[in-house]
Amino acid sequence: MIDIPGTPGTVTGLVLRISQCVFAAGSISYMVTSGGFFSFTAFCYLVAAMGLQVIWSFGLAILDTFALVRKKTLLSPVLVSLFVVGDWVTSTLSLAGASSSAGITVLYFGDLGSCSFEAECWRYQLSVALAFLCWITIAISSLTTLWLLASA
């Protein structure tokens, strides 16, 4: 297997996993601290998808840290296949959650003008923006691991 920046067990891979975890946790925290997010199914789905992302990214960040400390390689084809499948599943769920929440945010708070609290609208928008940033970092990890698996 070739050496690609962002592969599991490297510093750039660890940075990607930590940024995924931070963006997902930020998205959850801004969405949950708003008052009525549970009234919208898309917002509840976003919280669930980002929660799964936090768990997945945190687990892989711990695995990357272990590999860096022990100077082990995480490039076995079975392990890379697991990373590819997990990254693609969480990537799809995160994109769906971010897109549906963005649609609801634009429809209700932009087009219909039914946002009575400016702070609440701001939190929804920031949560969706952080979810998209999380998805971008997941997409980078997904493509990196897929490229790594294909080059094996």
Side-chain angles (χ1 to χ4, degrees):
M1 293 189 184
I2 61 175
D3 186 30
I4 303 170
T7 57
T10 61
V11 175
T12 53
L14 179 62
V15 168
L16 278 173
R17 297 299 176 185
I18 289 173
S19 63
Q20 291 168 13
C21 195
V22 167
F23 287 142
S27 178
I28 290 170
S29 66
Y30 277 107
M31 186 62 72
V32 170
T33 57
S34 64
F37 83 94
F38 52 85
S39 300
F40 303 100
T41 306
F43 293 161
C44 293
Y45 178 77
L46 178 67
V47 169
M50 291 293 112
L52 179 65
Q53 185 59 49
V54 166
I55 294 168
W56 175 255
S57 297
F58 186 71
L60 291 183
I62 290 172
L63 192 61
D64 283 342
T65 304
F66 175 77
L68 286 170
V69 168
R70 298 283 182 155
K71 295 185 179 16
K72 300 274 185 181
T73 181
L74 298 176
L75 299 180
S76 72
V78 173
L79 204 53
V80 173
S81 298
L82 177 69
F83 293 155
V84 168
V85 171
D87 281 343
W88 281 94
V89 167
T90 57
S91 175
T92 304
L93 292 174
S94 297
L95 180 61
S99 298
S100 63
S101 295
I104 294 298
T105 302
V106 168
L107 175 67
Y108 281 117
F109 308 125
D111 295 341
L112 299 178
S114 63
C115 186
S116 58
F117 301 105
E118 287 298 321
E120 189 172 297
C121 295
W122 178 77
R123 285 186 177 147
Y124 289 145
Q125 292 170 349
L126 189 57
S127 176
V128 169
L130 287 172
F132 274 113
L133 288 174
C134 180
W135 175 75
I136 289 170
T137 57
I138 300 166
I140 293 169
S141 293
S142 301
L143 293 174
T144 300
T145 55
L146 182 66
W147 189 2
L148 186 65
L149 185 64
S151 68

